[in-house]
Amino acid sequence: MRKSILCAIVFAAVCLFVLPQQARAQYAYGVSAIGYDDTTKEVFGYSATELDYYAGYYYDPYVEGFMYNQYNFYPIDSGYSLGYAYYWPAEVNTYTWGALPSTEYDVISDHYVLSAWSTSVRVCDDYYYSGCWADYWYDAWGYGFLGGGDYGAPWWWWGSWYGEYVPQRTYYLGSTGVYIITPPAATPTPTPTPQCGRVEIGSFYGNNALNLNGQTRPVLLGAKTALGARAFAADGSQQEGTVTWEVSGNAQQESDPSGTLDVSWLTEGTQTVKVTFTPAGGGCTVSASFTVNVVLPQLSTYTAQQNTERVTYGSAGQQCSRIATGDTFTLGCNEASKGIEFNATVTAPSDAISVPSDSRVKFVQLVNAYRQRQTSRGTECITFRTSPGDLSTGWYIDNTDPYDTRPIAFKGFSNDYTASITTNDTPGNTLEIPLRYQAISVDDQFEMYVNYIAGDPGAPSVERPLGKLAWNFGGQATYNASNGTYTYTAANPIPKALSGVATTTMRPYLGTIVLVESMWQACGAGPTPTPTPTPTPTPNPTPTPPSGGGNNAAFVSQSVPTSMEAGQLYNVMVTMKNTGSTTWTAANGYRLGSQNPGDNFIFGLNRVDVPGAVVPGAEVTFNFNVTAPSMTGLYNFQWRMVQDGVEWFGDSTPNLLIDVYSSSYCDWSMEQDCYYQGGSWDSNSCTCYYYNPCWNSPMRSPCYEY
């Protein structure tokens, strides 16, 4: 143990005086000492009396030691001790534990010498009867061992010893003393207040994004942005504590106790992120913030190369379109001569901090089909236009034969926030089913969109068009029965380059198109897309606008699954607010009606009664079940308030694209590979069939290697 002696041991060493003696004596020494241990808070004292060599023959040292403090009349500790001659001193140790601060402690030592003198005795010779001797001085035990008291004859004496009292005298030599004052009480060291220092916001993605404090950074609409916070004390050491996030705007967010935050903004604009840090010990808080610009990526390039349309002949093994039976009027031919090839590149700001893999682009193609043929059965058409030249109606999603399925493929962003996507299409019309046409006229219009999506590709949180490229396939072909060939005029007789344009809106469309032979009908009959998703009951009468009234409604919210399995039942909820002056009741014909198109039965019903009276200013939730269409594809889901026979009124719900899938649906990537390799895909058996144009060649092996 370390002892810090605050007051050096003080020796009160005094040559007290020369003792009266028969034997020659010298000096006696008295000692007092005191010390303090600042670790144990102990005051310890020492008292001693010591004789020199010569004095020791007949004298013994003796000491009494006492310790006091300024507050006690009686000793705190005391003791006494007898030494022996000059061999060892008389010593006493005194002490006290837990000494008081700023207090005087004293050690007082009283010093003594004990002397033992020889005495006169009467000595008689009893054995020889020679008499007695008086006044014989003798130290029976020798040189200072003799203490006071009565003594008889020594053991070796044969005569008569008339013992006498041997005196022992105590001589007080004097006192010594010393004192010490203990240190004052130490001022308690205050518990250090946590030094917050600073807190930094960092991003797990993006260049130079380790400390975003005070910066402004772009993030991609709907994409996850992964943030973290770390705090430092004033000395630069990292601290543990509690992190609280504040995010502005329409955002989905999920925070973690470790201090991380995943956030996705669902609307464009400028927003802020603030983090507040509280150290584990409390005592202070510190904050930091930065700004984000929520943006859509931009379409940087969008081009297409369209090749020559042609008539190919199945009898010669030259068919090239996706439809691989018989003669075809087609655009392009196999991988060596694709009908139309699309290439698009989308870029986002290079200093963005969103997670790149949470953003993707894809192609989505709309088609507006118009076909007319002359056969022995007369003139037949396939069209969904209200009139042959009206391109504002009759649009459908194109993702099945005879068009390419590859537009649904996704391409993710790279770490430099660039995404490039490529696809192609090779449309065609078979000329031999059910019999050779006398003539065919085709005017298929297409719009290929580049769409941005964020989140789960199956149910994205955001999907927006970024660009559109319009193109068409068509022309006329007339059959020449004399030689079995066609004379044709193509809409695109020579290859040409096309360019897309940037757009953030997509044309309204009706659903997913599937062109089959049974869709040919007498022109003007207005065929319904085949197959019909669900049986179509007779719709309610289309209401006529009223001459006036107080009907009005505002959309509040909706809960609708955006991915459904074909033919399955799903629960949906739509909440509307009565912002008019009339009370809605089912008895008065107030209902929620389907839209896009109006009064459709795509999801099994077209109107839902109000569940009770809805007074002005109140909200009502329509909770009902819908049935997903039986065919896979993308379908519109939109509703609006209606008063039967009176009017449609108020807001429409935001249109949702419902992805209807089949659990037994073929693997689209296998289907894509089939088309890339020039095969024909059978969606019923999920099988690819290859029709090699060289099969009729005698050199079959080289043909397979083509």
Side-chain angles (χ1 to χ4, degrees), residues 535-578:
T536 305
T538 302
N540 293 326
T542 302
T544 56
S547 57
N551 288 332
N552 205 353
F555 168 75
V556 177
S557 64
Q558 62 184 350
S559 176
V560 182
T562 56
S563 181
M564 301 182 183
E565 185 175 355
Q568 297 301 307
L569 196 68
Y570 292 88
N571 178 256
V572 300
M573 289 185 290
V574 176
T575 301
M576 305 294 289
K577 183 176 182 179
N578 185 348

mmCIF file of all heavy atoms in Angstrom, residues 535-578:
data_model
loop_
_atom_site.group_PDB
_atom_site.id
_atom_site.type_symbol
_atom_site.label_atom_id
_atom_site.label_comp_id
_atom_site.label_asym_id
_atom_site.label_seq_id
_atom_site.Cartn_x
_atom_site.Cartn_y
_atom_site.Cartn_z
ATOM 1 N N PRO A 535 -68.529 -13.313 -66.734
ATOM 2 C CA PRO A 535 -69.802 -13.079 -67.432
ATOM 3 C C PRO A 535 -70.294 -11.669 -67.155
ATOM 4 O O PRO A 535 -70.208 -11.166 -66.033
ATOM 5 C CB PRO A 535 -70.733 -14.135 -66.832
ATOM 6 C CG PRO A 535 -69.812 -15.188 -66.299
ATOM 7 C CD PRO A 535 -68.577 -14.481 -65.863
ATOM 8 N N THR A 536 -70.780 -11.033 -68.179
ATOM 9 C CA THR A 536 -71.182 -9.638 -68.071
ATOM 10 C C THR A 536 -72.696 -9.540 -67.923
ATOM 11 O O THR A 536 -73.425 -9.736 -68.892
ATOM 12 C CB THR A 536 -70.724 -8.849 -69.299
ATOM 13 O OG1 THR A 536 -69.314 -9.011 -69.450
ATOM 14 C CG2 THR A 536 -71.053 -7.363 -69.154
ATOM 15 N N PRO A 537 -73.177 -9.276 -66.706
ATOM 16 C CA PRO A 537 -74.619 -9.068 -66.550
ATOM 17 C C PRO A 537 -75.038 -7.778 -67.239
ATOM 18 O O PRO A 537 -74.215 -6.946 -67.609
ATOM 19 C CB PRO A 537 -74.807 -8.960 -65.029
ATOM 20 C CG PRO A 537 -73.527 -9.443 -64.434
ATOM 21 C CD PRO A 537 -72.473 -9.182 -65.459
ATOM 22 N N THR A 538 -76.339 -7.652 -67.389
ATOM 23 C CA THR A 538 -76.842 -6.423 -67.990
ATOM 24 C C THR A 538 -76.532 -5.273 -67.064
ATOM 25 O O THR A 538 -76.909 -5.287 -65.886
ATOM 26 C CB THR A 538 -78.363 -6.512 -68.203
ATOM 27 O OG1 THR A 538 -78.635 -7.635 -69.028
ATOM 28 C CG2 THR A 538 -78.894 -5.233 -68.852
ATOM 29 N N PRO A 539 -75.792 -4.284 -67.525
ATOM 30 C CA PRO A 539 -75.403 -3.178 -66.629
ATOM 31 C C PRO A 539 -76.594 -2.316 -66.257
ATOM 32 O O PRO A 539 -77.621 -2.315 -66.928
ATOM 33 C CB PRO A 539 -74.394 -2.402 -67.469
ATOM 34 C CG PRO A 539 -74.788 -2.681 -68.878
ATOM 35 C CD PRO A 539 -75.301 -4.106 -68.895
ATOM 36 N N ASN A 540 -76.417 -1.579 -65.159
ATOM 37 C CA ASN A 540 -77.452 -0.622 -64.772
ATOM 38 C C ASN A 540 -77.546 0.463 -65.828
ATOM 39 O O ASN A 540 -76.573 0.757 -66.521
ATOM 40 C CB ASN A 540 -77.103 0.004 -63.425
ATOM 41 C CG ASN A 540 -77.166 -1.019 -62.307
ATOM 42 O OD1 ASN A 540 -77.988 -1.924 -62.340
ATOM 43 N ND2 ASN A 540 -76.287 -0.859 -61.323
ATOM 44 N N PRO A 541 -78.700 1.061 -65.939
ATOM 45 C CA PRO A 541 -78.826 2.123 -66.948
ATOM 46 C C PRO A 541 -77.818 3.224 -66.695
ATOM 47 O O PRO A 541 -77.551 3.608 -65.563
ATOM 48 C CB PRO A 541 -80.267 2.632 -66.751
ATOM 49 C CG PRO A 541 -80.977 1.542 -66.024
ATOM 50 C CD PRO A 541 -79.946 0.837 -65.192
ATOM 51 N N THR A 542 -77.247 3.698 -67.791
ATOM 52 C CA THR A 542 -76.304 4.809 -67.667
ATOM 53 C C THR A 542 -77.064 6.052 -67.255
ATOM 54 O O THR A 542 -78.005 6.452 -67.928
ATOM 55 C CB THR A 542 -75.590 5.053 -68.998
ATOM 56 O OG1 THR A 542 -74.924 3.862 -69.381
ATOM 57 C CG2 THR A 542 -74.594 6.208 -68.857
ATOM 58 N N PRO A 543 -76.692 6.653 -66.117
ATOM 59 C CA PRO A 543 -77.466 7.806 -65.644
ATOM 60 C C PRO A 543 -77.257 9.011 -66.540
ATOM 61 O O PRO A 543 -76.239 9.171 -67.170
ATOM 62 C CB PRO A 543 -76.888 8.056 -64.244
ATOM 63 C CG PRO A 543 -75.512 7.480 -64.304
ATOM 64 C CD PRO A 543 -75.597 6.310 -65.233
ATOM 65 N N THR A 544 -78.262 9.819 -66.548
ATOM 66 C CA THR A 544 -78.167 11.065 -67.312
ATOM 67 C C THR A 544 -77.869 12.199 -66.352
ATOM 68 O O THR A 544 -78.317 12.200 -65.204
ATOM 69 C CB THR A 544 -79.487 11.344 -68.048
ATOM 70 O OG1 THR A 544 -80.539 11.369 -67.071
ATOM 71 C CG2 THR A 544 -79.775 10.245 -69.068
ATOM 72 N N PRO A 545 -77.070 13.154 -66.803
ATOM 73 C CA PRO A 545 -76.721 14.270 -65.917
ATOM 74 C C PRO A 545 -77.968 15.006 -65.461
ATOM 75 O O PRO A 545 -78.889 15.233 -66.250
ATOM 76 C CB PRO A 545 -75.832 15.152 -66.780
ATOM 77 C CG PRO A 545 -75.340 14.235 -67.862
ATOM 78 C CD PRO A 545 -76.450 13.258 -68.101
ATOM 79 N N PRO A 546 -78.061 15.355 -64.208
ATOM 80 C CA PRO A 546 -79.249 16.068 -63.719
ATOM 81 C C PRO A 546 -79.195 17.540 -64.098
ATOM 82 O O PRO A 546 -78.178 18.070 -64.508
ATOM 83 C CB PRO A 546 -79.147 15.883 -62.205
ATOM 84 C CG PRO A 546 -77.665 15.854 -61.968
ATOM 85 C CD PRO A 546 -77.077 15.149 -63.169
ATOM 86 N N SER A 547 -80.327 18.154 -63.906
ATOM 87 C CA SER A 547 -80.360 19.586 -64.175
ATOM 88 C C SER A 547 -79.737 20.373 -63.038
ATOM 89 O O SER A 547 -79.519 21.564 -63.147
ATOM 90 C CB SER A 547 -81.828 20.037 -64.371
ATOM 91 O OG SER A 547 -82.592 19.682 -63.214
ATOM 92 N N GLY A 548 -79.445 19.714 -61.976
ATOM 93 C CA GLY A 548 -78.839 20.393 -60.841
ATOM 94 C C GLY A 548 -78.958 19.518 -59.617
ATOM 95 O O GLY A 548 -79.538 18.449 -59.651
ATOM 96 N N GLY A 549 -78.439 19.917 -58.486
ATOM 97 C CA GLY A 549 -78.546 19.126 -57.264
ATOM 98 C C GLY A 549 -77.333 19.325 -56.401
ATOM 99 O O GLY A 549 -76.386 20.009 -56.781
ATOM 100 N N GLY A 550 -77.378 18.699 -55.223
ATOM 101 C CA GLY A 550 -76.310 18.891 -54.265
ATOM 102 C C GLY A 550 -75.427 17.691 -54.080
ATOM 103 O O GLY A 550 -74.818 17.524 -53.005
ATOM 104 N N ASN A 551 -75.345 16.786 -55.073
ATOM 105 C CA ASN A 551 -74.486 15.613 -54.957
ATOM 106 C C ASN A 551 -73.026 15.981 -55.190
ATOM 107 O O ASN A 551 -72.698 16.649 -56.175
ATOM 108 C CB ASN A 551 -74.886 14.540 -55.973
ATOM 109 C CG ASN A 551 -76.198 13.870 -55.608
ATOM 110 O OD1 ASN A 551 -76.543 13.796 -54.437
ATOM 111 N ND2 ASN A 551 -76.928 13.374 -56.610
ATOM 112 N N ASN A 552 -72.175 15.534 -54.287
ATOM 113 C CA ASN A 552 -70.735 15.688 -54.490
ATOM 114 C C ASN A 552 -70.030 14.707 -53.554
ATOM 115 O O ASN A 552 -70.573 14.318 -52.521
ATOM 116 C CB ASN A 552 -70.264 17.114 -54.216
ATOM 117 C CG ASN A 552 -68.983 17.449 -54.976
ATOM 118 O OD1 ASN A 552 -68.383 16.567 -55.601
ATOM 119 N ND2 ASN A 552 -68.565 18.700 -54.930
ATOM 120 N N ALA A 553 -68.839 14.293 -53.962
ATOM 121 C CA ALA A 553 -68.096 13.302 -53.169
ATOM 122 C C ALA A 553 -66.610 13.538 -53.340
ATOM 123 O O ALA A 553 -66.152 14.021 -54.375
ATOM 124 C CB ALA A 553 -68.452 11.876 -53.603
ATOM 125 N N ALA A 554 -65.858 13.166 -52.307
ATOM 126 C CA ALA A 554 -64.392 13.261 -52.340
ATOM 127 C C ALA A 554 -63.809 11.910 -51.969
ATOM 128 O O ALA A 554 -64.307 11.229 -51.057
ATOM 129 C CB ALA A 554 -63.882 14.338 -51.383
ATOM 130 N N PHE A 555 -62.767 11.540 -52.680
ATOM 131 C CA PHE A 555 -62.070 10.296 -52.355
ATOM 132 C C PHE A 555 -61.265 10.473 -51.060
ATOM 133 O O PHE A 555 -60.600 11.491 -50.867
ATOM 134 C CB PHE A 555 -61.140 9.898 -53.497
ATOM 135 C CG PHE A 555 -60.179 8.788 -53.144
ATOM 136 C CD1 PHE A 555 -60.612 7.481 -53.046
ATOM 137 C CD2 PHE A 555 -58.845 9.074 -52.882
ATOM 138 C CE1 PHE A 555 -59.735 6.458 -52.714
ATOM 139 C CE2 PHE A 555 -57.959 8.064 -52.552
ATOM 140 C CZ PHE A 555 -58.407 6.750 -52.468
ATOM 141 N N VAL A 556 -61.306 9.459 -50.182
ATOM 142 C CA VAL A 556 -60.554 9.488 -48.921
ATOM 143 C C VAL A 556 -59.432 8.469 -48.943
ATOM 144 O O VAL A 556 -58.259 8.802 -48.799
ATOM 145 C CB VAL A 556 -61.482 9.244 -47.712
ATOM 146 C CG1 VAL A 556 -60.656 9.211 -46.412
ATOM 147 C CG2 VAL A 556 -62.551 10.316 -47.634
ATOM 148 N N SER A 557 -59.756 7.191 -49.146
ATOM 149 C CA SER A 557 -58.717 6.155 -49.126
ATOM 150 C C SER A 557 -59.273 4.891 -49.744
ATOM 151 O O SER A 557 -60.488 4.743 -49.938
ATOM 152 C CB SER A 557 -58.241 5.866 -47.693
ATOM 153 O OG SER A 557 -59.296 5.325 -46.930
ATOM 154 N N GLN A 558 -58.344 3.972 -50.057
ATOM 155 C CA GLN A 558 -58.760 2.658 -50.530
ATOM 156 C C GLN A 558 -57.719 1.618 -50.135
ATOM 157 O O GLN A 558 -56.533 1.929 -49.994
ATOM 158 C CB GLN A 558 -58.961 2.647 -52.047
ATOM 159 C CG GLN A 558 -57.720 2.960 -52.871
ATOM 160 C CD GLN A 558 -58.024 3.032 -54.364
ATOM 161 O OE1 GLN A 558 -59.104 2.685 -54.820
ATOM 162 N NE2 GLN A 558 -57.053 3.473 -55.142
ATOM 163 N N SER A 559 -58.193 0.418 -49.905
ATOM 164 C CA SER A 559 -57.317 -0.709 -49.570
ATOM 165 C C SER A 559 -57.632 -1.834 -50.543
ATOM 166 O O SER A 559 -58.676 -2.486 -50.439
ATOM 167 C CB SER A 559 -57.541 -1.158 -48.117
ATOM 168 O OG SER A 559 -56.773 -2.303 -47.826
ATOM 169 N N VAL A 560 -56.725 -2.011 -51.511
ATOM 170 C CA VAL A 560 -56.965 -2.950 -52.600
ATOM 171 C C VAL A 560 -55.676 -3.709 -52.885
ATOM 172 O O VAL A 560 -54.633 -3.071 -53.093
ATOM 173 C CB VAL A 560 -57.423 -2.222 -53.888
ATOM 174 C CG1 VAL A 560 -57.712 -3.232 -54.995
ATOM 175 C CG2 VAL A 560 -58.639 -1.355 -53.604
ATOM 176 N N PRO A 561 -55.678 -5.036 -52.885
ATOM 177 C CA PRO A 561 -54.460 -5.759 -53.276
ATOM 178 C C PRO A 561 -54.178 -5.518 -54.755
ATOM 179 O O PRO A 561 -55.077 -5.607 -55.589
ATOM 180 C CB PRO A 561 -54.801 -7.225 -52.995
ATOM 181 C CG PRO A 561 -56.289 -7.281 -52.963
ATOM 182 C CD PRO A 561 -56.768 -5.956 -52.489
ATOM 183 N N THR A 562 -52.944 -5.196 -55.084
ATOM 184 C CA THR A 562 -52.593 -4.894 -56.470
ATOM 185 C C THR A 562 -52.114 -6.124 -57.226
ATOM 186 O O THR A 562 -51.751 -6.030 -58.386
ATOM 187 C CB THR A 562 -51.508 -3.817 -56.522
ATOM 188 O OG1 THR A 562 -50.378 -4.259 -55.748
ATOM 189 C CG2 THR A 562 -52.013 -2.516 -55.946
ATOM 190 N N SER A 563 -52.096 -7.261 -56.566
ATOM 191 C CA SER A 563 -51.755 -8.522 -57.217
ATOM 192 C C SER A 563 -52.779 -9.561 -56.786
ATOM 193 O O SER A 563 -52.999 -9.767 -55.588
ATOM 194 C CB SER A 563 -50.335 -8.957 -56.826
ATOM 195 O OG SER A 563 -49.995 -10.166 -57.465
ATOM 196 N N MET A 564 -53.450 -10.196 -57.749
ATOM 197 C CA MET A 564 -54.502 -11.155 -57.456
ATOM 198 C C MET A 564 -54.306 -12.410 -58.301
ATOM 199 O O MET A 564 -53.840 -12.335 -59.446
ATOM 200 C CB MET A 564 -55.891 -10.574 -57.742
ATOM 201 C CG MET A 564 -56.248 -9.324 -56.968
ATOM 202 S SD MET A 564 -57.932 -8.772 -57.363
ATOM 203 C CE MET A 564 -58.039 -7.260 -56.407
ATOM 204 N N GLU A 565 -54.687 -13.540 -57.736
ATOM 205 C CA GLU A 565 -54.653 -14.789 -58.492
ATOM 206 C C GLU A 565 -55.956 -14.929 -59.259
ATOM 207 O O GLU A 565 -57.053 -14.680 -58.732
ATOM 208 C CB GLU A 565 -54.458 -15.979 -57.562
ATOM 209 C CG GLU A 565 -54.303 -17.298 -58.310
ATOM 210 C CD GLU A 565 -53.985 -18.466 -57.394
ATOM 211 O OE1 GLU A 565 -53.788 -18.236 -56.184
ATOM 212 O OE2 GLU A 565 -53.947 -19.611 -57.891
ATOM 213 N N ALA A 566 -55.861 -15.331 -60.512
ATOM 214 C CA ALA A 566 -57.020 -15.416 -61.391
ATOM 215 C C ALA A 566 -58.122 -16.255 -60.752
ATOM 216 O O ALA A 566 -57.882 -17.343 -60.225
ATOM 217 C CB ALA A 566 -56.619 -16.005 -62.737
ATOM 218 N N GLY A 567 -59.379 -15.692 -60.779
ATOM 219 C CA GLY A 567 -60.546 -16.416 -60.303
ATOM 220 C C GLY A 567 -60.739 -16.423 -58.801
ATOM 221 O O GLY A 567 -61.742 -16.958 -58.319
ATOM 222 N N GLN A 568 -59.832 -15.801 -58.031
ATOM 223 C CA GLN A 568 -59.938 -15.847 -56.575
ATOM 224 C C GLN A 568 -60.713 -14.641 -56.039
ATOM 225 O O GLN A 568 -60.804 -13.595 -56.676
ATOM 226 C CB GLN A 568 -58.550 -15.891 -55.941
ATOM 227 C CG GLN A 568 -57.751 -17.128 -56.307
ATOM 228 C CD GLN A 568 -58.449 -18.401 -55.888
ATOM 229 O OE1 GLN A 568 -58.834 -18.560 -54.724
ATOM 230 N NE2 GLN A 568 -58.618 -19.308 -56.844
ATOM 231 N N LEU A 569 -61.279 -14.823 -54.824
ATOM 232 C CA LEU A 569 -62.077 -13.791 -54.177
ATOM 233 C C LEU A 569 -61.178 -12.936 -53.284
ATOM 234 O O LEU A 569 -60.354 -13.465 -52.527
ATOM 235 C CB LEU A 569 -63.183 -14.445 -53.340
ATOM 236 C CG LEU A 569 -64.342 -13.541 -52.891
ATOM 237 C CD1 LEU A 569 -65.161 -13.109 -54.103
ATOM 238 C CD2 LEU A 569 -65.226 -14.296 -51.890
ATOM 239 N N TYR A 570 -61.349 -11.587 -53.328
ATOM 240 C CA TYR A 570 -60.538 -10.674 -52.522
ATOM 241 C C TYR A 570 -61.432 -9.608 -51.903
ATOM 242 O O TYR A 570 -62.415 -9.152 -52.513
ATOM 243 C CB TYR A 570 -59.456 -9.998 -53.364
ATOM 244 C CG TYR A 570 -58.385 -10.953 -53.832
ATOM 245 C CD1 TYR A 570 -58.531 -11.653 -55.025
ATOM 246 C CD2 TYR A 570 -57.244 -11.174 -53.068
ATOM 247 C CE1 TYR A 570 -57.554 -12.546 -55.451
ATOM 248 C CE2 TYR A 570 -56.257 -12.051 -53.488
ATOM 249 C CZ TYR A 570 -56.424 -12.738 -54.677
ATOM 250 O OH TYR A 570 -55.447 -13.616 -55.087
ATOM 251 N N ASN A 571 -61.088 -9.220 -50.679
ATOM 252 C CA ASN A 571 -61.808 -8.154 -49.996
ATOM 253 C C ASN A 571 -61.134 -6.811 -50.283
ATOM 254 O O ASN A 571 -59.904 -6.711 -50.258
ATOM 255 C CB ASN A 571 -61.822 -8.403 -48.482
ATOM 256 C CG ASN A 571 -62.533 -7.282 -47.729
ATOM 257 O OD1 ASN A 571 -61.891 -6.448 -47.117
ATOM 258 N ND2 ASN A 571 -63.849 -7.270 -47.795
ATOM 259 N N VAL A 572 -61.944 -5.789 -50.580
ATOM 260 C CA VAL A 572 -61.428 -4.448 -50.824
ATOM 261 C C VAL A 572 -62.236 -3.458 -49.995
ATOM 262 O O VAL A 572 -63.371 -3.736 -49.588
ATOM 263 C CB VAL A 572 -61.494 -4.065 -52.320
ATOM 264 C CG1 VAL A 572 -60.684 -5.029 -53.158
ATOM 265 C CG2 VAL A 572 -62.936 -4.032 -52.807
ATOM 266 N N MET A 573 -61.632 -2.310 -49.730
ATOM 267 C CA MET A 573 -62.316 -1.241 -48.993
ATOM 268 C C MET A 573 -62.056 0.083 -49.700
ATOM 269 O O MET A 573 -60.912 0.392 -50.033
ATOM 270 C CB MET A 573 -61.841 -1.185 -47.548
ATOM 271 C CG MET A 573 -62.310 -2.357 -46.694
ATOM 272 S SD MET A 573 -61.866 -2.190 -44.945
ATOM 273 C CE MET A 573 -60.101 -2.400 -45.060
ATOM 274 N N VAL A 574 -63.126 0.850 -49.904
ATOM 275 C CA VAL A 574 -63.043 2.173 -50.518
ATOM 276 C C VAL A 574 -63.794 3.138 -49.616
ATOM 277 O O VAL A 574 -64.945 2.891 -49.253
ATOM 278 C CB VAL A 574 -63.642 2.185 -51.935
ATOM 279 C CG1 VAL A 574 -63.621 3.598 -52.509
ATOM 280 C CG2 VAL A 574 -62.882 1.231 -52.850
ATOM 281 N N THR A 575 -63.123 4.227 -49.224
ATOM 282 C CA THR A 575 -63.741 5.223 -48.341
ATOM 283 C C THR A 575 -63.947 6.517 -49.117
ATOM 284 O O THR A 575 -63.006 7.044 -49.727
ATOM 285 C CB THR A 575 -62.861 5.479 -47.107
ATOM 286 O OG1 THR A 575 -62.680 4.246 -46.397
ATOM 287 C CG2 THR A 575 -63.511 6.493 -46.178
ATOM 288 N N MET A 576 -65.190 7.012 -49.083
ATOM 289 C CA MET A 576 -65.550 8.264 -49.750
ATOM 290 C C MET A 576 -66.166 9.205 -48.717
ATOM 291 O O MET A 576 -66.684 8.770 -47.679
ATOM 292 C CB MET A 576 -66.542 8.017 -50.891
ATOM 293 C CG MET A 576 -66.083 7.006 -51.930
ATOM 294 S SD MET A 576 -64.656 7.546 -52.893
ATOM 295 C CE MET A 576 -65.391 8.820 -53.911
ATOM 296 N N LYS A 577 -66.135 10.514 -49.012
ATOM 297 C CA LYS A 577 -66.717 11.519 -48.121
ATOM 298 C C LYS A 577 -67.821 12.265 -48.856
ATOM 299 O O LYS A 577 -67.660 12.660 -50.012
ATOM 300 C CB LYS A 577 -65.640 12.501 -47.660
ATOM 301 C CG LYS A 577 -66.158 13.543 -46.678
ATOM 302 C CD LYS A 577 -65.018 14.437 -46.177
ATOM 303 C CE LYS A 577 -65.522 15.448 -45.163
ATOM 304 N NZ LYS A 577 -64.420 16.309 -44.649
ATOM 305 N N ASN A 578 -68.937 12.444 -48.156
ATOM 306 C CA ASN A 578 -70.065 13.195 -48.711
ATOM 307 C C ASN A 578 -69.767 14.680 -48.558
ATOM 308 O O ASN A 578 -69.855 15.243 -47.466
ATOM 309 C CB ASN A 578 -71.348 12.814 -47.966
ATOM 310 C CG ASN A 578 -72.574 13.481 -48.583
ATOM 311 O OD1 ASN A 578 -72.465 14.388 -49.411
ATOM 312 N ND2 ASN A 578 -73.756 13.028 -48.163
#
